[in-house]
Structures are given as C-alpha cells and as structure tokens.
Amino acid sequence: MSIASDRLELLEALTQYPVMTATQLAQFLKCSPDHARGLLEDGEIPFVNIGRGTRRDYRVDPVDAAVYWLSHREGLTIAEFRERHGPNGTLERARQLLTQIRRAVAA
C-alpha cells in the first residue's frame, strides 16, 4: 500500500470520528508518535487535553491535522494559512487534499 493510500484510508476513517489521537496524528503525518506529541506540545497543531493530572491525553480535530499538512506544503503557519484562505477556504483546501490523495491512489 502506498503512502497516499495509507493517508487516504486514515483520513476517511477519521471522518467517522470528531477527534483523533496523537498516535493517529502521527500515522497521518507519517512521523513518530513522539514527534507528533512534540508538534502538539509546541503549539503547532491545536489540541484538547483530556488527560488527568500531569498525564496528557491529546485529542486533535482532523481538520486541524489537514490544515497543518496543507499549511506546511505552502510554507505557512496554520494562522497564516487560515488568514489567507479564510474558514471556508480552509475546509475547501482540506477537501482538495483528499481529492489529490484519491487521485494518487487511483493512478
């Protein structure tokens, strides 16, 4: 299975759920779970902590994961990307990413 088909499969699965875990984020970004957690802790990707006490248990909106991916493809921060494309444009760009991945898988 190609990276594109792996990413498409994960994104389609995540659309069934309102949030993704740090491990699922790592699978989507094709990075280690430690790197994904570092992105969250550094504030690069918005998250909600549902952990108790000092233990962090991250939850991420799949759209934020897609926006992170898209913004870095354009060399922008998430805030710059959202400012440039607006809220509707951000969702549209996320849909375009899914379409591109689907085409890559079909090819």
Side-chain angles (χ1 to χ4, degrees), residues 14-91:
L14 290 173
T15 58
Q16 299 173 18
Y17 304 100
V19 295
M20 61 197 304
T21 65
T23 301
Q24 290 169 323
L25 175 65
Q27 291 170 341
F28 173 70
L29 296 176
K30 300 295 181 197
C31 67
S32 72
D34 286 340
H35 184 73
R37 281 188 285 277
L39 292 171
L40 297 170
E41 290 169 1
D42 291 345
E44 297 222 19
I45 302 173
F47 69 92
V48 173
N49 177 21
I50 63 166
R52 301 174 81 187
T54 59
R55 185 179 186 285
R56 290 188 168 233
D57 197 357
Y58 302 104
R59 293 297 181 270
V60 178
D61 185 327
V63 171
D64 288 330
V67 168
Y68 174 82
W69 177 262
L70 290 167
S71 66
H72 276 69
R73 284 181 46 179
E74 294 184 21
L76 303 170
T77 66
I78 289 179
E80 292 168 336
F81 183 88
R82 287 184 191 264
E83 184 177 313
R84 177 179 289 179
H85 296 287
N88 291 335
T90 298
L91 291 174

Side-chain angles (χ1 to χ4, degrees), residues 83-99:
E83 184 177 313
R84 177 179 289 179
H85 296 287
N88 291 335
T90 298
L91 291 174
E92 183 56 34
R93 295 284 292 142
R95 287 188 194 100
Q96 288 174 1
L97 173 63
L98 281 172
T99 301

